[in-house]
Amino acid sequence: MQKTLTDRELLDSLADEVETNLRRHIEVAEGWQPHEQVPWSDGRNFAFLGGEDWTPEQSELSDTARLALTVSVLVADNLPSYHRELGKHLRTGPWWRWVGRWTAEENRHEIMIRNYLMLTRAVDPVALERARMQHMTDGFNRPPMHLIDVLATCAFEEAAAAIRHRNTAAIGENPIVTAMAEKLAADDELQAEFFAVLVAAALDLVPDQAVRAIADRVADFRVPHVDLPGGGSSDEALAEAGIYDPAKEGELVFKPLLQRWNIFSRTDFSEEGEKTRAELAHLA
């Protein structure tokens, strides 16, 4: 029977891998500046400061681009909840430094998108603020998870976010939206890489335990979703717009990572791990 490690043991065993990959991540990540992406010269005051309040005809974005950016900013707005959920598992040594880095990168996303939406009057600012207040009040809580489950979930979530942002860029809405979405996607892909490397290390360390966690997380995976201003859920709206379709997760989110982890070609699973692999093949 293969060994099983506690979360504390895994945190210690993988700490060097975290340190190495945090250094790599910082070296390769683009240090882009959110203020440089926003057309400040397009801005003007709202009525409170003597200007003009928002009206629908002021928005120059298509419905699809407006939807994609609204979902992205509302998901990013809920960063305090995601930070808490990640930090409660990784509040030690290099793990905690990674949580800080990840949080700073995600916060940069929110700053850029919100500034763009407000400055260009792309959306109703009152409706968006009301949605933000409600979304953050509702918050976000994960069910209890072990460490490998957290890492696998984050790898899947960041891969899914990258797909959403790549598809937003592919709309070709305008050069600014395309450039913003590409920067978001690049960050997401590097973050997915970070988590994927740690899942791979866990698989080498405790193959059966890790593949069990991966299978469980595939089985209950769901991307973060928001209730949209004006009604409706982001899940259905993004799928209908061709930005992100949960029906394609098996092919676009799970398959690349399962291949990366050599799930279906590994020879280090015990009989129990083989059973889990068969289950995973059916799920994914």
Side-chain angles (χ1 to χ4, degrees):
M1 178 179 293
Q2 290 188 8
K3 63 181 178 181
T4 298
L5 298 181
T6 66
D7 287 345
R8 179 72 260 179
E9 290 170 331
L10 283 166
L11 284 168
D12 292 341
S13 298
L14 296 173
D16 288 345
E17 192 75 42
V18 175
E19 188 72 65
T20 298
N21 280 280
L22 178 55
R23 288 198 300 268
R24 177 196 57 79
H25 180 90
I26 292 172
E27 287 173 0
V28 301
E30 180 188 353
W32 57 270
Q33 301 296 318
H35 71 275
E36 294 179 345
Q37 314 303 317
V38 179
W40 298 101
S41 61
D42 291 353
R44 61 190 190 275
N45 291 341
F46 290 96
F48 184 77
L49 293 179
E52 179 188 7
D53 275 341
W54 182 86
T55 55
E57 63 270 13
Q58 293 172 2
S59 177
E60 297 181 356
L61 289 187
S62 67
D63 290 344
T64 300
R66 191 160 53 245
L67 167 67
L69 292 178
T70 296
V71 171
S72 290
V73 79
L74 288 175
V75 170
D77 275 329
N78 223 6
L79 182 59
S81 290
Y82 297 118
H83 172 89
R84 181 194 65 240
E85 289 298 310
L86 190 58
K88 71 184 182 184
H89 295 283
L90 308 179
R91 199 180 180 89
T92 179
W95 293 95
W96 186 234
R97 292 195 294 278
W98 164 247
V99 172
R101 173 72 189 203
W102 176 86
T103 301
E105 291 180 355
E106 292 296 319
N107 189 216
R108 178 171 63 182
H109 297 175
E110 186 274 340
I111 292 169
M112 177 180 67
I113 303 170
R114 182 169 294 280
N115 283 344
Y116 176 82
L117 293 175
M118 294 300 97
L119 196 76
T120 63
R121 297 179 176 239
V123 300
D124 181 347
V126 175
L128 184 63
E129 176 62 9
R130 288 172 177 165
R132 184 189 72 86
M133 292 290 286
Q134 186 60 55
H135 188 54
M136 293 187 68
T137 300
D138 292 341
F140 173 80
N141 288 287
R142 294 195 191 281
M145 288 186 184
H146 292 294
L147 178 61
I148 304 176
D149 297 77
V150 172
L151 298 176
T153 295
C154 289
F156 292 140
E157 286 181 346
E158 294 299 346
I163 291 168
R164 175 162 50 88
H165 289 130
R166 288 294 178 199
N167 286 338
T168 301
I171 296 171
E173 180 69 21
N174 64 52
I176 294 176
V177 169
T178 298
M180 288 196 307
E182 287 176 345
K183 289 187 181 301
L184 298 176
D187 277 1
D188 295 332
E189 286 160 357
L190 284 178
Q191 292 166 355
E193 169 76 7
F194 185 94
F195 289 114
V197 166
L198 295 180
V199 173
L203 274 162
D204 290 340
L205 195 62
V206 283
D208 283 4
Q209 184 179 354
V211 75
R212 179 70 263 166
I214 292 168
D216 289 342
R217 300 291 62 86
V218 168
D220 69 2
F221 182 71
R222 185 183 183 189
V223 294
H225 72 285
V226 300
D227 294 325
L228 299 171
S233 169
S234 59
D235 290 346
E236 295 83 3
L238 289 175
E240 184 177 350
I243 299 296
Y244 185 85
D245 187 352
K248 298 180 180 178
E249 283 172 346
E251 181 69 21
L252 300 179
V253 178
F254 304 138
K255 184 178 179 180
L257 283 167
L258 296 179
Q259 289 178 336
R260 181 208 173 102
W261 296 325
N262 299 315
I263 293 297
F264 301 112
S265 60
R266 302 181 71 96
T267 60
D268 53 359
F269 293 137
S270 72
E271 182 178 353
E272 190 63 31
E274 293 288 354
K275 291 179 181 178
T276 307
R277 172 158 57 188
E279 177 185 337
L280 189 51
H282 176 72
L283 287 170

